[in-house]
Amino acid sequence: MPVLPGAEPYRHEGGEVGVLLCHGFTGSPQSLRPWARYLAGQGLTVSLPLLPGHGTRWEDMALTGWQDWYAEVDRELRALRDRCARVFVAGLSMGGALALRLAAKHGEGAGGAGFGGGGGGGAAGGVEGVIVVNPANKVHGLSAYALPVARHLVRTTKGIASDIAKEGAVETGYDRVPLHAAHSLRAFLRQVDGELPQVTQPLLLLHSAQDHVVPPADSARILGRVSSTDVTEILLEQSYHVATLDLDADRIFEESYAFIARIAPSVGKEGTAVGG
């Protein structure tokens, strides 16, 4: 099945600091491409994969579940760790939940203490920091409780794409949500919620004042459950849910780069520096 125009994955070979960007539920890399290109322009190595079942048609997504989506970003993280000395994870909406689970599962990076090898779960698979934009924490509303039954009776519900304040901005995403996938998303977010205390890395969380897809309660819940001590929260005053394509996009890009550069001052530096 051909990929929708603009929904293709994006990769850029840059310096020794890498960032993995995770797009949202029913969305595609199109929603994060300007962010990815900005970070690439600052000298980072960037990976923005297309999640299985996304970027084609909703019928394809109906055949996938959260294990498929998470496995894809987990593979990409491991590939980045092979090429880069320091790796960050970032995401929008469900992509934020994917990024948080990667951080919980892969622990902290070596924090500049050297990448000589061996020794536990440090440098080999560590995540240095996490950046999330309007991260999802649960599927809301009474309909969420009906999903286990409803998904056997009804195939889809209306889509959630393009919640954007900026005039003329459009998100490439499905106009229908497969209920099997929504049921899997609900299970995934419950799983991630239980793992949030395992997140100890520096965290940058940006959320919109008005979001018609993910309520502010989700960001508050995440901030209250992670174990990170280095936490920055930024309110996006002008944007809706897909803030990376909205009026605050430049602020997201600049704040995320400043966050990465503070934690990994070698950002933009050539070479992998692994083992050296």
Side-chain angles (χ1 to χ4, degrees):
M1 181 55 57
V3 173
L4 296 169
E8 305 86 1
Y10 175 89
R11 290 177 181 84
H12 174 78
E13 292 290 339
E16 66 176 27
V17 177
V19 61
L20 169 61
L21 297 174
C22 308
H23 70 74
F25 183 70
T26 75
S28 78
Q30 178 261 354
S31 61
L32 300 185
R33 195 176 305 276
W35 191 7
R37 286 182 169 150
Y38 175 88
L39 294 174
Q42 306 302 314
L44 279 80
T45 293
V46 180
S47 177
L48 170 53
L50 173 63
L51 299 179
H54 291 71
T56 53
R57 55 183 194 146
W58 68 259
E59 290 89 346
D60 296 327
M61 188 180 185
L63 304 175
T64 66
W66 75 260
Q67 294 90 344
D68 304 301
W69 313 327
Y70 180 75
E72 181 69 19
V73 296
D74 188 71
R75 276 193 299 271
E76 289 289 330
L77 175 63
R78 292 172 191 274
L80 269 182
R81 289 297 306 186
D82 287 342
R83 299 200 300 276
C84 298
R86 316 281 290 273
V87 175
F88 293 78
V89 292
L92 167 70
S93 194
M94 179 187 77
L98 289 167
L100 287 162
R101 185 165 206 253
L102 287 171
K105 290 296 181 185
H106 287 273
E108 292 189 76
F115 293 82
V127 167
E128 297 286 341
V130 191
I131 305 159
V132 291
V133 179
N134 292 324
N137 179 256
K138 68 182 292 188
V139 175
H140 293 269
L142 288 173
S143 59
Y145 297 98
L147 277 173
V149 174
R151 67 194 174 104
H152 297 294
L153 307 174
V154 182
R155 293 190 73 190
T156 68
T157 187
K158 62 183 174 69
I160 55 173
S162 289
D163 184 34
I164 304 171
K166 185 178 180 180
E167 193 72 34
V170 177
E171 179 188 15
T172 300
Y174 296 148
D175 58 2
R176 306 297 298 173
V177 175
L179 290 194
H180 271 293
H183 178 65
S184 186
L185 171 65
R186 180 174 179 243
F188 173 64
L189 294 179
R190 291 173 73 173
Q191 174 92 17
V192 174
D193 186 68
E195 295 167 347
L196 286 176
Q198 299 172 39
V199 177
T200 59
Q201 297 92 335
L203 171 66
L204 171 61
L205 187 150
L206 307 101
H207 63 98
S208 299
Q210 285 191 73
D211 186 327
H212 306 96
V213 178
V214 173
D218 283 31
S219 288
R221 170 81 177 177
I222 290 165
L223 290 170
R225 285 185 59 74
V226 296
S227 298
S228 308
T229 55
D230 180 346
V231 177
T232 305
E233 177 185 7
I234 293 176
L235 185 65
L236 305 172
E237 301 276 6
Q238 305 179 78
S239 299
Y240 294 163
H241 183 61
V242 191
T244 49
L245 296 177
D246 216 329
L247 296 167
D248 291 299
D250 287 344
R251 185 171 188 203
I252 294 169
F253 306 163
E254 291 161 8
E255 293 281 3
S256 63
Y257 176 70
F259 173 80
I260 292 169
R262 174 170 65 83
I263 296 162
S266 61
V267 64
K269 184 178 175 184
E270 291 301 320
T272 62
V274 175

